[in-house]
Amino acid sequence: MAGPFGIVVRGWASDADTRGPITVTVTVDGRPADVLADQAGPGGRTGAFRTARLTGPGNHEVCAVARDVGGGADVPLGCRSVTVEAATVGRLGLQTF
């Protein structure tokens, strides 16, 4: 989801090798940041994640990868192209997360 000041990325991820939260790497325009998938997700299970990334206006490529715990491989969750509109001068946007 894009707003006037950046992008909010949300989703869920889990790994059968653990009952605990796992790390998801979110990449915006090639710049990675790790977020913990530790919020209540589908069916009340832990695994949801949400992160906000400040960006400038324009088109941005957003990708997410669930990091494997134990044996196995990381799992790409997908990529999307997102357009952030230019903010109006003097506008203040607030969002709680």
Side-chain angles (χ1 to χ4, degrees):
M1 165 177 27
F5 302 106
I7 300 166
V8 175
V9 181
R10 61 182 175 203
W12 66 273
S14 64
D15 187 322
D17 293 331
T18 182
R19 295 186 71 146
I22 66 169
T23 299
V24 175
T25 300
V26 174
T27 305
V28 177
D29 297 332
R31 294 184 306 269
D34 289 338
V35 60
L36 197 57
D38 64 349
Q39 300 172 14
R45 293 179 33 204
T46 299
F49 65 90
R50 179 181 169 131
T51 186
R53 303 287 299 275
L54 295 176
T55 63
N59 294 322
H60 302 278
E61 183 74 11
V62 181
C63 298
V65 176
R67 297 299 175 191
D68 180 63
V69 176
D74 296 343
V75 176
L77 300 177
C79 293
R80 295 221 174 136
S81 180
V82 178
T83 301
V84 174
E85 301 295 329
T88 304
V89 175
R91 179 177 175 193
L92 174 63
L94 300 175
Q95 179 179 359
T96 59
F97 16 34

